Amino acid sequence: MWFSFWRSRDRFSLDELRYLTNQLQKVQIVNDVNKDFVIEALRSIAELLTYGDQHDSSFFEFFMEKQVMGEFVRILNISRTVTVSLQLLQTISILIQNLRREHAIYYMFSNEHVNYLITYSFDFRNEELLSYYISFLRAISGKLNKNTISLLVKTQDEEVVSFPLYVEAIRFAFHEESMVRTAVRAITLNVYHVGDEFVNKFIASAPQSDYFSNLVSFFRDQCINLSKLFSERPKNPCSESVSAILAKVDEIEDNLYYFSDVISAGIPVVGSLITDNILQLLILPLLFPALQIDADSNLKIGAVTSLYLLCCILRIVKIKDLANTIAAALLYPLETFAANSEVKINGYVSGNNCTNESEEPLVDSVTLVNAGKLCVDIPNKATSSQVHPGGIIAERDFSCSHLSLRETLLSYVTDGDDARALGSLSVLATLLQTKDGIGILPQRKQHKKLLLQALVGEGSGEEQLFSFESGSARDSFSSELDGYLKKLKEQYGVFIGGAAASPRIHRNQVLDALVKLLCRSDISTEILWDGGWLLRQLLPYSEAEFKSHHLKLLKDSYRNCRSALVQETKGIWVDLLITVLCDQWKKCKRAIEASSPRKEPKCILLPFQKLNSEDIPAESSFTAGERMSELVKVFVLLHQLQIFSLGRALTEQPPIQPQIDIPEISRARAAGLDVSGPKPGTEVKFVHALPCRIAFERGKERHFHFLAVSVGTLGWVLLAEELPLKQNYGIVRVAAPLAGTNPRIDDKHARWLHLRIRPSTLPFLDAPKSGTPGETRIKSLVDGRWTLAFRDDESCKTALSMILEEINLQNMEVERRLKPVLDLEL
């Protein structure tokens, strides 16, 4: 038999298929002796049938006539080796995937052979066998439609009572191997998208419906693991911990996209099952209570992770019912959810710079005083007090535990640390963008004017944040909101203790919180920009529609920031001030005019890292440059918001004066320099140059001519070597920035002049535009020190005067060019 198997024969012929089938039928047991023949026969049959499907229909007719599928099942039952099972699953998978003729697929799925293989007791301890089995199921699911699916189910009284493909697939839904989980999800989605009414009913009934609650429970465990990784990161701040968090974030977001895909398949009952389970198993008992808890609580999810998850759920699972239920729940006191989850509420306690989720930062009581206006104390900060105005003094009449979740989010904005402020802003922004979201911000209007009128309408008394321009719309909205509040009580068991929480939240609260955020000095400028984006969505086009106390706070903050910026025109980095301002102007305009927030939710967990203050000395020019850059970002944001509030159009470039030519009477002109300035190798004339000596290496003193020059906003200190064949001329060998030189004559040697030489640029200005959150590292540059030795005391004093005069000219030019942008009419 073996000799005849290998005899020469046309490989792609019906005779070959007939021969292989006949040989298979003769096999009575599969063991180590004949397994190679059986495996090769199965592989060849799949190849021949695929060829015949495209070229000759008689191949598949023979396959049906000889009931080869039955032979496959028989071979599986008499096999004693796993390799045959592997080849059989691969063979049938190849057939199902490659057969194009509709009647061929119908035949493959009929006679219960496929269902028999699906339910066969394979030994899944073999990982390779499991992989082939899951591929087999996936191949079947890829051929499902309303006609073929009926061949794989069993019905009784017009109801589906058995669907092996689906039931066996979801057994592996939570397998430890991610590739298996991904394949199972693809199989289920293929089933859901068929849209068969009877199959859908089977899927949504017990015990199959348990899959959806198990799915959310699995997702909840992933969320708890993420929170644990985040809370442990301060103890282990290495790249491995960042990678672990990002990997878990990817898993969580993949899960949410799967939820979204399942719901979009259009099975209403399934959508409700997922929505209800997300609320009952995750959001109500874990995420909401985590926003404000006692530090000693055993709650498994921290506040920052909770904010991230809420933002992701709202962004990815875009379901009206889920978003509206979350928004309505934000009107409830926080203690309502804490009671349900048996978590003790005690506010969150001190630590504005806390990164461990078990440690909660201080938030002063947020109170409603003076016609319901939200007021929060801002602690008196010592740092950067020149930039921002002081806080608003609040009257406290109830504890934080009685705040609604919505007010808690606003308190994070006004007093939380960077992570909590960013997380709350992200949740607020997501709710604003949710097409049908209710309860926390005004609904989107087709015209921004209508949105603004709804938010900050000109009426008096008790007109609320939820007000609309027409009574019918307002009544419709209130009715919808009441429906969700009732649903929370009846379906999810959320009861309000004491007085019922009112959905009529004062229209100014959100604006108050955002304006106060922009007045904070203890928050990252990146987060201020995010707050600016959200405020820009709500900001009116005319000053009259924006409340006077909002404008006053913004103006006061802007004036203080402007004063600090004026001081920078005499600072260490004055030569880069205009460059940084123009660059940040374009970035800020793009950020706050964008249609959506610029940050992904993962940035809540892993903001881009800045240099630790311990890495560089406080007097370093790098520290001053970082401070200048942060100040410019705040100034540009407040300036652009001022322009928006005045109803003016925002220009592409900041309004600054153009550069002027070099004055005829100047050291730069006398030295023969043009507007491009000097470079090493440039020839200069020694009109004002002074001979000096300097040693860049120990014991190697060199002779130069020293010159300080300024060209517009730029300036340099130059060291030039005299040309031997050209009297009073030299070649520039060293050019260093003039700004920040901080010249000083030595106390003991009157001929020595000390200079600080800072880098020519700031490394973070050239940082890559994209990167992984939490992994950005900026290289710190060290300042240089020069000691110049002149011929006599008078030459040293002349050099000092030269430097100070050129610095003054440089500063005056920068201030002149910035005058239009600094003189915004308030």
Side-chain angles (χ1 to χ4, degrees), residues 56 116 149 183 309 314 612 651 754:
D56 188 348
Y116 180 85
I149 199 170
L309 291 170
L314 288 167
N612 193 311
T651 58
H754 297 291

Side-chain angles (χ1 to χ4, degrees), residues 20-271:
L20 292 173
T21 304
N22 290 337
Q23 293 302 318
L24 272 184
Q25 290 173 340
K26 295 177 182 179
V27 175
Q28 298 304 312
I29 188 170
V30 181
N31 52 32
D32 290 340
V33 176
N34 62 355
K35 68 176 182 180
D36 291 338
F37 161 73
V38 173
I39 290 171
E40 179 61 24
L42 291 172
R43 188 195 64 76
S44 298
I45 289 174
E47 191 174 24
L48 286 167
L49 288 173
T50 302
Y51 171 82
D53 186 65
Q54 300 175 18
H55 299 91
D56 188 348
S57 61
S58 62
F59 281 63
F60 199 82
E61 290 172 1
F62 176 83
F63 179 82
M64 293 188 293
E65 178 185 345
K66 296 299 181 179
Q67 298 184 11
V68 181
M69 275 294 293
E71 284 299 314
F72 288 168
V73 172
R74 187 182 69 84
I75 290 294
L76 178 64
N77 287 323
I78 63 176
S79 174
R80 297 292 183 268
T81 174
V82 71
T83 54
V84 173
S85 299
L86 289 173
Q87 184 59 55
L88 182 65
L89 288 173
Q90 185 183 50
T91 295
I92 300 177
S93 297
I94 291 172
L95 284 175
I96 293 173
Q97 287 174 329
N98 292 283
L99 291 176
R100 299 178 182 178
R101 299 174 188 266
E102 194 171 4
H103 78 278
I105 295 297
Y106 287 167
Y107 175 79
M108 293 292 293
F109 286 179
S110 62
N111 300 321
E112 286 296 309
H113 292 315
V114 169
N115 275 343
Y116 180 85
L117 293 171
I118 291 173
T119 56
Y120 187 81
S121 298
F122 292 102
D123 183 5
F124 292 124
R125 291 174 296 180
N126 185 307
E127 293 182 1
E128 188 178 11
L129 183 60
L130 174 61
S131 177
Y132 276 70
Y133 177 75
I134 294 297
S135 297
F136 166 62
L137 298 185
R138 189 168 185 174
I140 297 170
S141 71
K143 295 293 184 177
L144 292 180
N145 56 44
K146 287 192 175 182
N147 295 321
T148 57
I149 199 170
S150 63
L151 302 172
L152 299 173
V153 300
K154 290 182 179 180
T155 59
Q156 183 176 339
D157 298 330
E158 296 188 351
E159 287 192 359
V160 175
V161 294
S162 174
F163 188 9
L165 172 66
Y166 182 79
V167 173
E168 295 300 317
I170 62 176
R171 283 179 53 205
F172 301 96
F174 311 108
H175 193 271
E176 60 183 10
E177 177 56 51
S178 62
M179 295 295 289
V180 174
R181 297 198 301 269
T182 301
V184 170
R185 291 179 181 183
I187 294 167
T188 58
L189 288 174
N190 286 337
V191 171
Y192 303 149
H193 282 105
V194 170
D196 185 278
E197 179 183 352
F198 299 105
V199 172
N200 291 347
K201 186 176 180 181
F202 173 81
I203 289 167
S205 61
Q208 290 74 232
S209 60
D210 292 342
Y211 168 65
F212 302 106
S213 59
N214 294 336
L215 194 64
V216 176
S217 296
F218 178 76
F219 176 68
R220 179 189 60 195
D221 292 340
Q222 288 184 314
C223 296
I224 292 171
N225 291 336
L226 173 65
S227 187
K228 183 179 179 182
L229 288 173
F230 179 78
S231 63
E232 290 176 352
R233 190 185 171 216
K235 306 171 189 175
N236 184 29
C238 60
S239 59
E240 287 77 11
S241 66
V242 173
S243 299
I245 291 174
L246 289 174
K248 188 59 66 176
V249 162
D250 288 341
E251 288 183 19
I252 284 173
E253 294 186 3
D254 285 346
N255 272 285
L256 288 173
Y257 280 113
Y258 175 62
F259 290 158
S260 179
D261 290 342
V262 172
I263 295 171
S264 67
I267 309 175
V269 178
V270 170

Side-chain angles (χ1 to χ4, degrees), residues 291-295 334 344-349 360-361 363 400-401:
L291 293 179
Q292 197 177 36
I293 61 172
D294 191 293
L334 189 59
K344 181 180 177 182
I345 298 297
N346 193 27
Y348 58 93
V349 294
E360 302 288 344
V363 174
C400 278
S401 65

Side-chain angles (χ1 to χ4, degrees), residues 572-573 616-625 756 780-783:
I572 297 175
W573 293 91
I616 48 179
E619 68 276 7
S620 165
S621 66
F622 187 94
T623 303
R756 173 179 61 189
S780 174
L781 300 179
V782 180
D783 293 335

